[in-house]
Amino acid sequence: MTLWLLLWILVWTILAFALMGIDKWKAKHGAWRVPEKVLFLSALAGGSLGALAGMALFRHKTRHWSFRLGMPAILILQVAVLLLWSWRGVWFP
């Protein structure tokens, strides 16, 4: 894996984690919320691990089936794509 891809994943992981924490804080204080679409897009952009960690640590969105199933599914898909990409010399010339 190249360095830029690792940095991309790291940045989005931190951002997705922070967005979960911010949204939880806003939910507790009755403030404007982060749209669910933004939470999912941050996970799709490479931050699925951070989103899952944020869900667990902040106990946020854990009752929503779309998050309980969607975030792990995104992570599994991303890991599969990364594995295929890293082995592209073996399967894809």
Side-chain angles (χ1 to χ4, degrees):
M1 234 181 297
T2 60
L3 181 60
W4 68 268
L5 182 58
L6 290 174
L7 288 173
W8 176 272
I9 292 170
L10 178 65
V11 167
W12 278 107
T13 297
I14 292 168
L15 182 63
F17 180 81
L19 284 171
M20 282 291 182
I22 291 166
D23 192 46
K24 178 65 174 196
W25 185 88
K26 288 182 176 216
K28 283 184 171 183
H29 292 87
W32 171 83
R33 303 283 302 278
V34 177
E36 290 185 354
K37 180 179 9 178
V38 172
L39 297 174
F40 272 108
L41 287 175
S42 67
L44 283 169
S48 57
L49 192 58
L52 282 167
M55 285 176 61
L57 184 68
F58 303 120
R59 295 183 183 177
H60 189 51
K61 299 289 186 185
T62 56
R63 292 184 181 179
H64 296 261
W65 283 102
S66 60
F67 281 85
R68 288 179 70 179
L69 298 176
M71 292 299 177
I74 292 170
L75 178 62
I76 290 167
L77 177 67
Q78 288 174 339
V79 168
V81 167
L82 285 174
L83 287 173
L84 284 173
W85 186 70
S86 67
W87 292 333
R88 70 180 183 266
V90 176
W91 292 330
F92 306 108

